[in-house]
């Protein structure tokens, strides 16, 4: 449904996104995850035909967004980051107007249905200028799904919402994802994790990781981290670990427990560690492999990317 | 094409909830009323026409149309709704022409109101030439179309309302003055035929005067239509170029 190849965008000297390649298939909800300034909005603006790219190609529902822009745009529902609304219109008028511009069939019924979906039926007669942030967000979403697009592109749809509104919007996106392909951006991992089939992590205009939340977790912890605790005195244990040249990292958590980063590569090194500890006369209390949670992976990816960029 | 009409309809309706539009209408009716009163009472035997009244209406429009056009594109840009329109299945020219059309239809409403009121008064107290009245109003309508198209350029250049108005006003006044300048030039080269013709063609007001004297010539239409076409084309390019930044 969405196919992006080698996409780059330069603002003058500044490279906002660099050689992005990804896809989103029918029925997928893809989370576009990255810190502020990573290039999420820029990418989405290119995908929706608002901006041209410097290089690369974008295909939406079978149409090239640059060469067959109008056709491609028919299949896109888009909620821009700043949720553009006409303040002087009533909720239903706004939806009716945009529905008219998009030639939505049975417009009256569809507007009613969409207002029901986002839970704004009882505010249909309210002026948009009088709505709260959460309601505005929902009207923006309603606008994006009005014409039943095949591709839904949502730029930070949960920003500025309280936790309950956030949960509702995510629930709604999950619901919408059953009928169309969704690409939504956020800088909050837990949101993406909650509803996405796949995550694209972008930093400094480049994709640094792409996978399902579970696989991402597994892959990133391929180099395993284990926690080692001993009973009583642990003097000299640190020295002992430092002697193991194949360890990727050693951290002392408290007086008698440590976190060790083992190298990936298939071979389980935990028995070797256990033996080392016991053979040197320490009493082993705990030897446990720790799962990195996605939050840590995300931070680690972005940090290592920043370090790589600094060199 | 369909989208153009949808946008035109929305903009037309928007003027009826816009205080600025009411202010423009009020000033127009007030000034035309005063001038009508002055002319018809000072010279009781004056012909039953609206030459002076509509001439002054043209001057009012010169200053007021930028107030009607300033928000047309600037507001969309400022609120971000332009992004919504341009990522929908809508072409840039449909937005620009639709907006202009909405404004033009609104000013036609004002003109029809004037035509109805003063047409009735003239009929009641005199014997007006309806043909001349009709061409006068059509001429004024064409002038308005041109002024609104010029004004909308300002609205595409900046998303600042006051800036958009000042740019529109500057363009209007420049074009108006240009006509006078051309008259002067024509005076200096009074023997060269094509200079005469060119200066006549480029005169913003002389074409309206033709309409007002009951002449219905295609060259006068062509003048205003070409201003409209060039301005709207330019504005469309400006709207398109905004997204290339
Ligand atoms: N119109 C613009 N002109 C110049 N630089 C821009 C423009 N828009 C965005 N950028 C830059 O491009 C980078 C990516 O921005 P953006 O796509 O908005 O990131 P995100 O949406 O992930 O926060 C940022 O460094 C930003 O400063
Ligand atoms: Mg952004």
């Amino acid at each position: 449904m969405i196919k992006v190849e080698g996409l780059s965008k330069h603002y003058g000297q500044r490279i906002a996104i660099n050689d992005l390649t990804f896809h989103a298939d029918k029925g997928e909800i893809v989370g576009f995850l990255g810190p502020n300034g990573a290039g999420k909005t820029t990418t989405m603006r290119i995908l929706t035909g608002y901006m041209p790219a410097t290089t690369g190609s974008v295909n939406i529902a079978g149409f090239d967004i640059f060469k067959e822009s109008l056709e491609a745009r028919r299949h896109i529902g888009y909620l821009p980051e700043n949720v553009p609304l006409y303040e002087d219109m009533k909720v239903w008028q706004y939806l009716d107007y945009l529905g008219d511009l998009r030639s939505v069939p049975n417009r009256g019924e569809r507007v009613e249905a969409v207002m029901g979906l986002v839970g704004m039926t009882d505010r249909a007669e309210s002026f948009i200028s009088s709505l709260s942030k959460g309601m505005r967000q929902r009207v923006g979403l309603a606008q994006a799904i009005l014409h039943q697009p095949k591709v839904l592109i949502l730029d930070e749809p949960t920003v500025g919402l309280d936790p309950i509104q956030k949960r509702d919007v995510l629930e709604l996106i999950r619901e919408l994802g059953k009928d169309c392909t969704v690409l939504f951006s956020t800088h909050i991992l837990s949101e993406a994790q909650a509803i996405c089939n796949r995550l694209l992590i972008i930093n400094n205009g480049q994709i640094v990781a792409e996978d399902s939340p579970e696989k991402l977790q597994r892959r990133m912890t391929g180099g395993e981290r284990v926690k080692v605790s001993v009973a009583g005195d642990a003097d000299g244990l640190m020295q002992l670990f430092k002697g193991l040249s194949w360890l990727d990292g050693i951290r002392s958590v408290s007086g008698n427990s440590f976190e060790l980063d083992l190298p990936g590569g298939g071979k389980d090194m935990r028995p070797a560690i256990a033996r080392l500890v016991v053979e040197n006369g320490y009493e082993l209390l705990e030897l446990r492999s720790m799962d990195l949670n996605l939050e840590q992976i995300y931070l680690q990816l972005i940090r290592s990317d920043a370090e790589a960029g600094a060199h | 094409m369909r989208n153009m009409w949808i946008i035109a309809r929305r903009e037309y309706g928007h003027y009826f909830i816009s205080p600025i539009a009411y202010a423009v209408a009020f000033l127009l009716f007030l000034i035309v009323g005063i001038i009508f009163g002055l002319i018809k009472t000072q010279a009781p035997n004056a012909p039953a026409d609206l030459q002076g009244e509509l001439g002054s209406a043209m001057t009012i429009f010169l200053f007021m149309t930028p107030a009607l056009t300033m928000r047309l594109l600037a507001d969309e840009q400022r609120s971000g709704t332009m992004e919504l329109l341009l990522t929908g299945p809508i072409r840039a020219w449909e937005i620009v022409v639709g907006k202009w059309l909405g404004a033009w239809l609104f000013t036609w409403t004002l003109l029809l109101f004037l035509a109805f009121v003063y047409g009735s008064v003239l009929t009641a107290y005199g014997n007006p030439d309806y043909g001349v009245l009709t061409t006068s109003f059509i001429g004024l309508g064409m002038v308005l179309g041109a002024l609104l198209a010029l004004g909308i350029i300002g609205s595409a250049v900046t998303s600042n309302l006051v800036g958009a108005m000042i740019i529109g006003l500057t363009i209007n006044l420049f074009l108006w003055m240009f006509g006078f300048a051309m008259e002067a030039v024509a005076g200096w080269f009074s023997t060269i035929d094509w200079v005469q013709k060119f200066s006549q063609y480029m005169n913003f007001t002389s074409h309206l005067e033709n309409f007002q004297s009951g002449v219905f010539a295609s060259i006068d239409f062509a003048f205003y239509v070409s201003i409209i076409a060039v301005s709207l084309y330019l504005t469309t390019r400006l709207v398109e170029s905004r997204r290339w930044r």
Side-chain angles (χ1 to χ4, degrees):
Chain A
M1 276 292 135
I2 305 177
K3 226 162 92 193
V4 175
E5 262 167 52
L7 199 67
S8 299
K9 171 77 186 179
H10 301 187
Y11 292 111
Q13 289 293 309
R14 173 174 218 116
I15 300 175
I17 56 171
N18 187 12
D19 199 21
L20 296 190
T21 298
F22 63 89
H23 63 96
D25 300 328
K26 200 171 170 187
E28 258 190 324
I29 302 181
V30 175
F32 203 42
L33 193 63
N36 289 325
K40 303 183 293 294
T41 298
T42 301
T43 309
M44 291 184 151
R45 284 183 159 172
I46 296 171
L47 259 52
T48 53
Y50 183 63
M51 269 183 181
T54 308
T55 58
S57 70
V58 175
N59 191 296
I60 302 277
F63 298 98
D64 187 304
I65 192 72
F66 306 124
K67 297 196 192 96
E68 305 154 292
S69 182
L70 208 64
E71 250 333 291
R73 265 148 46 196
R74 273 183 221 290
H75 299 293
I76 300 175
Y78 176 38
L79 175 61
E81 192 169 17
N82 60 353
V83 193
L85 304 168
Y86 293 107
E87 305 287 331
D88 59 289
M89 284 182 162
K90 293 176 177 175
V91 170
W92 74 266
Q93 281 177 325
Y94 172 78
L95 295 173
D96 189 64
Y97 178 57
L98 290 173
D100 201 0
L101 284 173
R102 293 175 192 154
S103 315
V104 170
N106 298 327
R107 199 165 75 242
E109 283 169 35
R110 182 64 191 157
V111 168
E112 284 295 326
V114 165
M115 284 192 299
L117 261 179
V118 300
M120 289 295 289
T121 306
D122 52 336
R123 300 302 298 262
E125 291 290 337
S126 301
F127 280 102
I128 287 177
S129 54
S130 73
L131 298 182
S132 71
K133 173 88 185 147
M135 292 179 189
R136 297 170 69 92
Q137 205 82 24
R138 280 188 273 163
V139 176
L141 263 174
Q143 161 279 128
I145 58 177
L146 197 54
H147 49 305
Q148 298 181 291
K150 291 182 178 162
V151 171
L152 197 52
I153 295 182
L154 310 171
D155 198 354
E156 307 214 12
T158 56
V159 85
L161 300 185
D162 69 37
I164 294 167
Q165 294 171 330
K166 235 176 229 192
R167 195 198 55 200
D168 290 349
V169 165
L170 288 174
E171 197 47 53
L172 186 59
I173 294 172
R174 195 213 301 269
E175 205 55 42
L176 296 172
K178 288 175 182 161
D179 303 319
C180 57
T181 305
V182 183
L183 179 68
F184 88 102
S185 74
T186 170
H187 58 268
I188 299 163
L189 179 77
S190 57
E191 289 181 0
Q193 197 179 355
I195 62 168
C196 289
N197 310 97
R198 212 141 51 76
L199 296 180
L200 291 170
I201 300 183
I202 177 174
N203 191 37
N204 280 326
Q206 276 173 313
I207 293 182
V208 292
E210 173 191 354
D211 227 327
S212 67
E214 300 79 31
K215 279 202 191 133
L216 204 59
Q217 193 156 13
R218 213 172 306 142
R219 200 180 82 204
M220 286 306 295
T221 48
E224 211 173 11
R225 179 173 291 177
V226 294
K227 185 173 182 185
V228 182
S229 307
V230 295
D233 207 6
D235 286 350
L237 196 54
M238 189 72 171
Q239 276 322 109
L240 208 59
F241 287 143
K242 278 187 179 152
L244 298 176
S245 57
W246 43 265
L247 280 182
D248 280 346
I250 307 160
R251 219 162 328 121
S252 159
V253 187
S254 65
N256 48 11
S257 64
F258 303 83
E259 281 178 14
L260 309 179
D261 288 334
L262 309 187
K267 191 153 183 279
D268 195 347
M269 301 304 283
R270 279 177 298 181
I273 297 203
R275 227 169 13 249
L276 180 83
V277 172
V278 174
E279 280 171 5
N280 283 282
Y282 297 97
E283 290 181 57
L284 185 62
L285 266 189
E286 183 184 21
L287 178 67
R288 182 165 60 88
S289 90
M290 302 168 58
D291 261 344
L292 286 183
N293 65 28
L294 269 178
E295 203 75 45
Q296 288 165 312
I297 296 171
Y298 176 53
L299 289 174
Q300 198 174 320
L301 276 169
I302 285 165
R303 209 177 301 126
S304 66
D305 188 55
E307 276 161 19
H311 294 310
Chain B
M1 208 55 169
R2 190 174 161 272
N3 288 334
M4 183 187 84
W5 286 106
I6 296 168
I7 291 172
R9 204 173 56 209
R10 144 131 173 104
E11 290 309 330
Y12 180 76
H14 195 272
Y15 284 114
F16 289 90
I17 56 165
S18 153
I20 291 174
Y22 279 102
V24 168
F26 175 75
L27 276 174
L28 175 72
F29 295 155
L30 183 73
I31 295 174
V32 170
I34 290 173
I35 291 175
F36 183 83
L38 284 177
I39 293 178
K40 303 305 186 244
T41 54
Q42 298 301 312
N45 293 325
D49 66 13
L50 294 172
Q51 289 275 32
E53 290 81 353
L54 296 188
S56 61
M58 140 102 197
T59 315
I60 300 167
F61 286 137
L62 207 57
F63 290 95
M64 287 188 191
T65 46
L68 293 177
T69 52
M70 61 181 180
R71 57 159 287 282
L72 286 178
L73 296 166
D75 258 7
E76 301 268 1
Q77 197 69 48
R78 216 165 29 136
S79 68
T81 43
M82 190 62 103
E83 188 168 349
L84 217 51
L85 294 181
L86 289 176
T87 56
I90 303 163
R91 297 176 186 87
W93 72 261
E94 291 175 321
I95 302 172
V96 171
V97 179
K99 299 246 162 193
W100 166 80
L101 196 58
W104 200 32
L105 291 176
F106 175 70
T107 53
W108 266 115
T109 309
L110 299 182
L111 287 184
L112 287 177
F113 183 79
L114 283 179
F116 177 73
V117 170
Y118 291 99
S120 313
V121 174
L122 290 182
T123 307
Y125 294 98
N127 210 349
D129 181 336
Y130 294 111
V132 172
L133 275 183
T134 307
T135 56
S136 301
F137 274 102
I138 290 177
L140 204 54
M142 292 309 291
V143 169
L144 273 168
L147 290 176
L148 292 169
L150 290 167
I152 209 170
I153 297 175
S155 188
V157 170
T158 171
S159 52
N160 179 302
L161 289 188
V162 177
M165 192 175 83
I166 290 173
I167 293 171
L169 200 57
T170 310
I171 298 174
N172 281 359
L173 292 179
F174 176 80
L175 215 78
W176 191 45
M177 306 282 217
F178 191 72
F180 291 131
M182 289 309 292
E183 269 177 30
V185 171
W188 299 332
F189 299 98
S190 53
T191 52
I192 307 172
D193 195 40
W194 69 266
V195 175
Q196 299 294 317
K197 285 216 171 95
F198 184 70
S199 102
Q200 248 168 37
Y201 183 70
M202 290 307 290
N203 192 317
F204 204 84
T205 43
S206 72
H207 293 282
L208 179 63
E209 282 157 12
N210 288 347
F211 277 109
Q212 286 188 333
S213 54
V215 178
F216 216 56
S218 51
I219 180 119
D220 301 318
F221 268 109
F223 175 74
Y224 295 120
V225 169
S226 52
I227 290 182
I228 293 169
V230 170
S231 306
L232 294 184
Y233 175 77
L234 206 69
T235 308
T236 303
R237 298 315 301 259
L238 279 167
V239 167
E240 280 171 348
S241 78
R242 279 204 153 239
R243 53 167 133 179
W244 297 78
R245 272 178 238 157

